[in-house]
Amino acid sequence: MQCLLHPREWISGPVCMYIAYMLATADKTNTILTRILNEVEIIMVPIANPDGYELTWTEYPKFRLWRKNLSKRGNIKCVGVDLNRNFNVKWGEYGSSDDPCSETYQGPFANSETEIKAISQFLQDNKPVLGAIDFHSFSQIVVYPYGWTTSSPENEQHLRYFADWVASSASQVGSQYTAVQMGSVYLASGTFGDWMYSREFQQSNTDMYGFKYRPIPLTVELKPLSENIGINGFLVSPEQILPTCEEVFPSVIKFVSLLLENEDSWIRKT
């Protein structure tokens, strides 16, 4: 699970911390959580873009809505790369920019950024990966690949099944979430979810016996809804932090439970 790839999306940070806290303090009489903790290694990346996130605090309010990291190159006056456009999958094709001053600047080449290299290498070193959730804000949607095209992905029914369950689990507790393919909402290439669902990643995502795994990567766009609020959607009020965490946690547990249930039938390949 990953949070704060885009530093202005503050609400995602507490969500990761809340999930970690709830797992670390889980009641041993809770059979579902006990099984998950006994059988699954859960990797948490609470701040995937630390330099950018720090900027939103140290230079508040001027840079409260900063989206990129803080990498610098040569004499280019503008700073930073959109880390969720820098993964090595359909890099530089759709929904990203080659303009260093753009908020969606894709970087000079795929995997150019230290953060992306670290995330990619860590996941490849800790294979097999069954699934992942990348938390962002905002829109209250659960997004599955692909983002670089409006065409349906391979095995869309599997992705949709997971996304529907995550959305409904969150909706039962609090706000209404909807499952959608990313490309049907906005086009974006070089994203974390698309990279994890790429053939390149699947080919190397093997266990000690050589079985390949096709992971289930989702992006959860947290509160609020996106209707008619513009950039103010990133400014979640303090009283909404805990309710957001509480409505998302059951959906995470459902997601992990479904990964375990479907590992042999959908995820692991011969």
Side-chain angles (χ1 to χ4, degrees):
M1 293 175 208
Q2 176 174 273
C3 295
L4 289 170
L5 195 61
H6 289 149
R8 66 187 179 186
E9 297 163 11
W10 279 9
I11 187 61
S12 67
V15 165
C16 262
M17 291 188 285
Y18 182 85
I19 293 168
Y21 172 79
M22 293 297 289
L23 292 173
T25 60
D27 188 337
K28 293 183 179 179
T29 62
N30 187 317
T31 57
I32 297 176
L33 290 183
T34 298
R35 182 195 178 198
I36 287 173
L37 291 170
N38 287 338
E39 298 184 20
V40 180
E41 179 183 14
I42 299 177
I43 298 170
M44 306 287 296
V45 183
I47 306 177
N49 186 345
D51 292 345
Y53 182 57
E54 182 183 34
L55 180 70
T56 65
W57 284 90
T58 58
E59 298 295 331
Y60 180 90
K62 182 178 180 180
F63 289 104
R64 168 63 182 85
L65 297 176
W66 186 258
R67 174 183 170 97
K68 302 187 288 184
N69 68 356
L70 298 183
S71 64
K72 300 178 181 178
R73 284 183 173 79
N75 296 322
I76 298 176
K77 65 176 182 178
C78 294
V79 173
V81 169
D82 182 346
L83 296 182
N84 210 29
R85 300 295 186 273
N86 192 240
F87 285 91
N88 189 23
V89 55
K90 300 295 180 180
W91 177 84
E93 293 193 12
Y94 306 101
S96 63
S97 174
D98 59 5
D99 178 3
C101 295
S102 169
E103 282 196 331
T104 57
Y105 176 49
Q106 63 210 18
F109 52 87
N111 277 18
S112 62
E113 303 310 291
T114 299
E115 299 90 341
I116 303 308
K117 291 176 183 176
I119 293 168
S120 302
Q121 191 61 55
F122 186 82
L123 291 177
Q124 290 170 334
D125 289 345
N126 287 273
K127 60 188 180 183
V129 180
L130 302 186
I133 298 180
D134 188 18
F135 288 101
H136 288 260
S137 71
F138 52 94
S139 287
Q140 291 172 210
I141 54 177
V142 179
V143 178
Y144 60 88
Y146 294 118
W148 59 270
T149 179
T150 57
S151 300
S152 298
E154 182 181 5
N155 295 304
E156 181 180 17
Q157 70 274 22
H158 298 166
L159 292 167
R160 182 78 194 205
Y161 177 81
F162 277 83
D164 280 339
W165 267 112
V166 169
S168 64
S169 296
S171 300
Q172 288 173 16
V173 178
S175 305
Q176 186 68 38
Y177 283 75
T178 304
V180 293
Q181 181 188 343
M182 179 181 287
S184 69
V185 181
Y186 54 85
L187 288 175
S189 55
T191 65
F192 174 74
D194 281 6
W195 172 72
M196 283 203 67
Y197 204 64
S198 67
R199 291 189 179 275
E200 176 192 13
F201 183 80
Q202 292 173 27
Q203 289 298 316
S204 63
N205 192 34
T206 58
D207 62 17
M208 60 186 298
Y209 303 106
F211 289 105
K212 296 177 183 179
Y213 289 71
R214 179 185 289 121
I216 303 293
L218 299 179
T219 298
V220 175
E221 297 277 4
L222 300 162
K223 286 183 176 180
L225 282 171
S226 59
E227 297 177 2
N228 303 319
I229 58 174
I231 60 173
N232 289 327
F234 299 113
L235 309 178
V236 178
S237 61
E239 60 268 20
Q240 287 298 314
I241 294 175
L242 185 57
T244 302
C245 297
E246 291 174 337
E247 68 189 21
V248 169
F249 181 68
S251 68
V252 170
I253 299 308
K254 184 65 178 180
F255 177 70
V256 179
S257 298
L258 289 173
L259 290 175
L260 288 173
E261 292 173 15
N262 294 281
E263 177 181 354
D264 293 336
S265 57
W266 288 356
I267 300 173
R268 184 169 58 199
K269 305 298 175 183
T270 56

